[in-house]
Amino acid sequence: MTADAEPGAATAETYTASVVGGTGFTGGELLRLLAGHPGFEVVQATSRSADNMTVGRSHPNLRGLDLRFSDPDDLESVDVLFAATPHGVSMGRIDEFFEAADTVVDLSADFRLPEADAYDEWYDGHESPEYLERAEYALPELNRENLRGADLIAGGGCNATATILGLKPLVDAGALGPEAGEVVVDVKVGSSEGGAGGGAASSHPERSGVVRPYAPTGHRHEAEIEAYLGLSVSFTVHAVDMVRGASATCHVFPDEPVSKGDLWGAYRDAYADEPFMRIVSGGGGVYRYPEPKSVAGTNHGEVGFELDPGNRRVVVFSAIDNMTKGSAGQAVHAANVALGLPETAGLEFDGLHPVGAP
């Protein structure tokens, strides 16, 4: 079975999988997706804090899953190991992970930048820089061909993912490049981005009702955007009163004038054949532009745009669920591509409407 198989087609093979760091929000999302995936059998989920406790105790939506957490030092042999651990853990355990699995999918920042120098600049260095060249960025819309057969997959950051999906069609069409005008990106994100241990700033009383700048400048996801799109962007992130979601508004000033037709052509060329991408740009109804609420719980991404000819500006909108398309769903999608499974396997959920705050 190849990655070009019909969406939803039965898989020809089942792979065993483990989730390291299974009690966090992303670990729970991975377990949810993998439990419903026809090509994976989850045989282990690890947690130091919840060792021998049921998965349903941490993730009540998974109470029907007959699985208990085990000690992360006792890794079982599996085909694919998904690591949903904090930054810095996987780079220190990567040899151990490969002793336990043929394929490693890491959802942290540990392998998502291609150069060790970038980790010196944006993080605190890297313990295993020899693996960086081996790692493949997990976003299939950007890196599909290189993901086929990859054995080390590095999940993208959710804010970077939303931004890259919005801007990539303009880069592909030649409307944006290193010599283009300034690109200003403003991202709004939900509280789940802070993880299960997000601290006081993510608690409900402190988060409720806010639009809080928490990374006005120097956000680490800028490094991914520059590495994979070749663009330097002015990037700001706000924490807002929602649980799931990332919404990017990008202000683009191309060197050459573009028309509305040029924009539609660029976005259709980029995403017409992508199973999880939707173009939502100023149509009728209430949801006229991309919104996190429309994609909550799904692996879909929405992109849209408006032209401001008087200011020679293009405003690009993109929205994803940070937990799914921005993390666990992207990881499963990438694993599907790497293993030759149908790309949409385990990711067919289209969301709900109406629904409350995502």
Side-chain angles (χ1 to χ4, degrees):
M1 190 70 66
T2 69
D4 297 321
E6 289 295 321
T11 58
E13 191 170 357
T14 299
Y15 294 90
T16 56
S18 62
V19 175
V20 178
T23 51
F25 292 150
T26 301
E29 191 76 347
L30 271 172
L31 289 167
R32 176 180 75 87
L33 296 174
L34 294 172
H37 195 298
F40 284 109
E41 177 190 2
V42 181
V43 299
Q44 186 180 29
T46 77
S47 170
R48 294 191 191 281
S49 62
D51 186 17
N52 203 40
M53 298 178 185
T54 64
V55 165
R57 186 177 185 274
S58 295
H59 307 297
N61 58 320
L62 301 178
R63 283 174 176 149
L65 188 60
D66 185 18
L67 186 67
R68 290 180 177 271
F69 290 113
S70 57
D71 192 306
D73 290 332
D74 299 324
L75 296 178
E76 297 185 24
S77 179
V78 292
D79 297 312
V80 185
L81 183 150
F82 292 86
T85 53
H87 173 66
V89 174
S90 290
M91 68 172 70
R93 300 189 65 191
I94 188 63
D95 290 329
E96 182 184 351
F97 288 171
F98 271 115
E99 288 176 5
D102 297 322
T103 301
V104 174
V105 185
D106 181 59
L107 279 68
S108 78
D110 283 12
F111 300 100
R112 64 175 59 144
L113 299 179
E115 303 291 339
D117 288 349
Y119 282 92
D120 294 333
E121 179 179 356
W122 292 94
Y123 293 90
D124 299 314
H126 204 287
E127 288 186 44
S128 303
E130 67 274 14
Y131 280 94
L132 295 177
E133 186 175 352
R134 179 174 174 178
E136 291 294 344
Y137 197 61
L139 191 61
E141 291 83 1
L142 183 76
N143 198 36
R144 178 175 281 104
E145 292 305 314
N146 291 334
L147 282 168
R148 300 184 196 278
D151 65 355
L152 177 56
I153 297 169
C158 58
N159 300 322
T161 295
T163 304
I164 288 170
L165 289 173
L167 295 178
K168 177 181 181 295
L170 299 181
V171 174
D172 290 348
L176 279 181
E179 304 305 318
E182 187 175 16
V183 178
V184 179
V185 180
D186 184 271
V187 182
K188 309 291 195 301
V189 297
S191 57
S192 59
E193 182 178 84
S202 293
S203 71
H204 181 72
E206 298 294 347
R207 189 76 172 215
S208 180
V210 306
V211 181
R212 178 188 298 136
Y214 82 87
T217 61
H219 194 286
R220 288 171 169 177
H221 290 187
E222 289 182 32
E224 290 172 62
I225 298 164
E226 184 168 357
Y228 296 109
L229 286 187
L231 292 177
S232 178
V233 301
S234 299
F235 195 82
T236 297
V237 184
H238 287 78
V240 300
D241 185 7
M242 64 181 178
V243 174
R244 304 173 72 118
S247 176
T249 301
C250 308
H251 303 272
V252 178
F253 300 87
D255 282 346
E256 299 294 330
V258 296
S259 69
K260 200 70 172 285
D262 293 333
L263 295 175
W264 275 108
Y267 281 84
R268 284 171 173 157
D269 287 348
Y271 293 138
D273 296 325
E274 288 293 344
F276 295 113
M277 294 304 298
R278 302 167 174 167
I279 303 174
V280 184
S281 190
V286 175
Y287 297 92
R288 300 176 59 227
Y289 296 100
E291 293 194 30
K293 185 175 179 179
S294 302
V295 295
T298 82
N299 196 52
H300 290 288
E302 292 186 347
V303 293
F305 47 82
E306 275 297 345
L307 183 63
D308 179 9
N311 293 303
R312 298 183 65 175
R313 176 178 65 132
V314 178
V315 186
V316 175
F317 310 99
S318 56
I320 61 172
D321 183 320
N322 62 298
M323 299 292 299
T324 314
K325 186 63 177 174
S327 188
Q330 180 183 145
V332 172
H333 188 186
N336 286 344
V337 174
L339 298 170
L341 297 171
E343 285 201 27
T344 60
L347 300 168
E348 294 91 346
F349 179 55
D350 283 328
L352 299 170
H353 179 78
V355 66

